[in-house]
Amino acid sequence: MQRLTDRGTAEALKRNAEGLAAKGFDVPIDDLRYIKLADYENEEERKEQNFVNYDPDDYYE
C-alpha cells in the first residue's frame, strides 16, 4: 500500500489541532481528515508488519 499522507505532517497537524481545540478554536475539517487518514494508514502498516504470510506446503516433508 502506498501512503497518501506524510507521518511528519500528520504529527504536526495533530499537535496543532490539539492546541487549537484546547484554546477553544475550531479545527479545520481538512486537517481532521488528514489526521484520520494518517492514523488509518499507520494502523494498516502496523498490521502488515505483524502479518506473517507463509505457505504451509513449504514446511511439508
Side-chain angles (χ1 to χ4, degrees):
M1 172 181 87
Q2 184 178 2
R3 286 188 69 95
L4 301 173
T5 61
D6 178 63
R7 285 183 185 270
T9 303
E11 285 301 316
L13 282 173
K14 187 179 260 188
R15 283 192 308 271
N16 187 43
E18 290 170 353
L20 287 172
K23 295 188 189 284
F25 291 101
D26 290 332
V27 179
I29 191 71
D30 292 337
D31 292 354
L32 294 175
R33 287 179 182 148
Y34 193 92
I35 293 166
K36 188 162 188 148
L37 177 59
D39 288 343
Y40 173 78
E41 289 176 337
N42 291 341
E43 184 65 22
E44 287 297 311
E45 282 182 351
R46 187 191 65 76
K47 286 179 184 177
E48 285 178 8
Q49 290 174 354
N50 291 335
F51 181 71
V52 177
N53 189 7
Y54 67 93
D55 185 11
D57 292 336
D58 291 343
Y59 297 102
Y60 182 75
E61 293 183 18

